[in-house]
Amino acid sequence: MGLQLKRVAPAQGVQWVRMGLRTFGRRAVAFTGFLSLFLLAALVLLMLSWPGLALTLAALPLLSLGYMNATRAALKGERPTLSHFTAPLKAPGPRRATLLKLCALYGLAMLAVLVVSEWVDGGRLDRVRELMTSDSAQPQDLEALLDDGRLIAAVWLRLGLTALLSIPFWHAPPLVAWGGQGVAQSLFSSTLACWRNKGAFTLYALAGLGLVMAAAVASSILFSLLGLTVVLGPVAVAASLLFSAAFYVSLYFSFVDCFGAGEPAAQD
């Protein structure tokens, strides 16, 4: 695959969201099913505590690469299958080893982010989760925690570090799998692409966030008017799954605009 770093017009970031939604809509069941399977596997792994969490985090670059494979297949009129997600693990030669190293690095980096955040909030975020799922929780206890400056700082720290970490890893999986780049080169290329096209990525993030917020407000108003607020929780979970799957679909379009499209290069 001939890769060439390109400059992208800022407005193209909105198009990534639009194209992701349109392509997702064509194969919504398949794309949502893949993410559901991943989340189910993650729930099983999380039973192993920290090792399971590390494995789940390390698998995220493979998940994004799998969605790119599946999205490209869908654009060709093919039916996305599970083989698009397992294909990188079946690749012969050092390319597979490089991809696994990239996954391990991401998993360790994300674990470090979580550890630092846990240290900053002193377990307050876990306490918030407990109170929100407890039937005997007192509203004043939850309000006191949500107003805690240390908790707020930890949440912003986690979001900030996660966002920074996503930059070098954004394009890295396909750069390794399709372009044959090494770990360091793929991380550098991804960072450079995101920086050069920061306008497009900023509008991409804003458009995606705005869409989610608009959907949340509209559904909340609608179900309130219909007197069906009891179903807001399940609807929110389902909507989150759909929007997340559509986000993963849109990753392919950001990569194509930044580096060009084509078939993966021959394996090493």
Side-chain angles (χ1 to χ4, degrees), residues 41 51 82 115 136 146:
L82 196 58
V115 169
S136 59
L146 293 177

Side-chain angles (χ1 to χ4, degrees), residues 6-8 12 16 19 252-260:
K6 301 179 179 181
R7 290 190 180 274
V8 181
Q12 195 63 19
W16 295 341
M19 290 186 290
Y252 176 76
F253 300 102
S254 70
F255 179 80
V256 167
D257 278 353
C258 288
F259 290 96

Side-chain angles (χ1 to χ4, degrees), residues 178-197:
W178 299 348
Q181 295 188 5
V183 172
Q185 184 183 5
S186 67
L187 295 175
F188 175 78
S189 299
S190 177
T191 302
L192 186 59
C194 291
W195 175 252
R196 285 189 177 180
N197 299 307

Side-chain angles (χ1 to χ4, degrees), residues 42-124:
L43 287 176
V44 175
L45 286 174
L46 290 176
M47 295 180 182
L48 303 176
S49 189
W50 282 101
L53 176 60
L55 287 173
T56 300
L57 294 172
L60 289 175
L62 288 177
L63 179 67
S64 66
L65 180 58
Y67 264 95
M68 290 187 182
N69 283 330
T71 300
R72 183 174 53 198
L75 291 173
K76 293 179 179 180
E78 301 172 7
R79 183 173 180 269
T81 65
L82 196 58
S83 63
H84 293 114
F85 291 81
T86 59
L89 295 176
K90 299 177 181 178
R95 196 167 300 191
R96 176 178 56 184
T98 303
L99 185 59
L100 292 176
K101 290 177 184 177
L102 183 74
C103 292
L105 181 60
Y106 182 80
L108 291 174
M110 276 301 302
L111 272 181
V113 169
L114 295 178
V115 169
V116 171
S117 301
E118 288 280 349
W119 175 74
V120 171
D121 73 29
R124 288 168 174 79

Side-chain angles (χ1 to χ4, degrees), residues 161-215:
L161 291 177
T162 301
L164 288 175
L165 185 62
S166 70
I167 293 174
F169 285 92
W170 194 273
H171 301 297
L175 287 172
V176 170
W178 299 348
Q181 295 188 5
V183 172
Q185 184 183 5
S186 67
L187 295 175
F188 175 78
S189 299
S190 177
T191 302
L192 186 59
C194 291
W195 175 252
R196 285 189 177 180
N197 299 307
K198 53 185 176 293
F201 279 99
T202 299
L203 286 182
Y204 173 63
L206 291 176
L209 181 61
L211 180 64
V212 171
M213 292 181 64

